[in-house]
Amino acid sequence: MNPQRLATKRLKPGYFRVQKDIEIHGRKYDGVGNAALLLAVHFAPVHVRSAMVKAAEQGDAKPLRNYMNGCVLSARRGAVMVSPFISPQEKQVMQVLLQEQHPFVLLTDNGFRDYYKPADELFDACAAGRLLILSPWPYDEGKRHISRSECVALNLMAEEISSTQS
């Protein structure tokens, strides 16, 4: 796959070059992917609340299922979904977005090293112009785990991007 990925990067260099200082509602991000997604008319955050997960664990899965289905329906209606896609349920939504080839914005907890390229399915979505990966923080080579406060901050940023861009 490496020669194919190299050829793809050469054909679409703008999608794989780290873009610095993308300003959204007064906050600056670094990004990789299709920044034109930020010009979309409708955005929607994907944020599965722990209360929904706990209710599902107690036997009431309907609110969680309805929320996740609602996210996919919003994407099918043209909304660009925005999320760090941290929880397993959010990752399931992202998998559907990838499979159905809907555009989305992925917020990440670590910036971009030189020569960064997304892995696997994200690479293909990026090459097709359906993905923008944003990070509010610089790259940290030693970073290994995301903290709870970073998760909360990223989810708030997803809400902020969704509400200010609509």
Side-chain angles (χ1 to χ4, degrees):
M1 282 301 267
N2 284 341
Q4 180 183 358
R5 287 177 189 256
L6 179 60
T8 301
K9 284 178 70 174
R10 287 184 177 159
L11 285 171
K12 303 195 177 190
Y15 290 164
F16 294 99
R17 189 174 305 126
V18 176
Q19 301 164 63
K20 300 284 188 182
D21 297 327
I22 299 170
E23 188 167 333
I24 305 168
H25 196 42
R27 188 185 308 270
K28 291 191 179 188
Y29 299 85
D30 289 345
V32 170
N34 186 0
L37 291 177
L38 296 172
L39 301 174
V41 176
H42 300 288
F43 293 84
V46 179
H47 182 190
V48 172
R49 311 276 185 205
S50 58
M52 286 186 256
V53 175
K54 287 177 185 169
E57 290 169 352
Q58 300 296 322
D60 185 14
K62 189 175 180 181
L64 176 59
R65 187 175 55 250
N66 287 346
Y67 179 77
M68 292 172 66
N69 288 338
C71 289
V72 173
L73 288 172
S74 291
R76 288 177 181 163
R77 289 187 202 112
V80 173
M81 307 310 288
V82 183
S83 179
F85 297 100
I86 297 166
S87 75
Q89 296 81 12
E90 292 166 354
K91 287 179 178 158
Q92 287 175 8
V93 171
M94 183 174 71
Q95 285 305 309
V96 173
L97 297 176
L98 287 165
Q99 289 167 2
E100 294 186 3
Q101 301 184 351
H102 298 294
F104 63 98
V105 176
L106 169 63
L107 291 161
T108 185
D109 66 314
N110 199 358
F112 306 99
R113 64 187 179 283
D114 294 336
Y115 309 110
Y116 170 84
K117 70 178 183 338
D120 305 324
E121 291 176 311
L122 294 179
F123 182 92
D124 296 335
C126 193
R130 295 188 313 268
L131 174 62
L132 175 62
I133 305 170
L134 294 174
S135 178
W137 302 300
Y139 177 68
D140 179 356
E141 188 175 317
K143 183 160 179 55
R144 298 289 180 246
H145 300 287
I146 188 168
S147 69
R148 170 138 174 75
S149 64
E150 289 169 331
C151 291
V152 169
L154 289 170
N155 279 315
L156 288 172
M157 288 175 213
E159 300 268 347
E160 182 179 88
I161 290 168
S162 296
S163 68
T164 59
Q165 297 289 42
S166 333

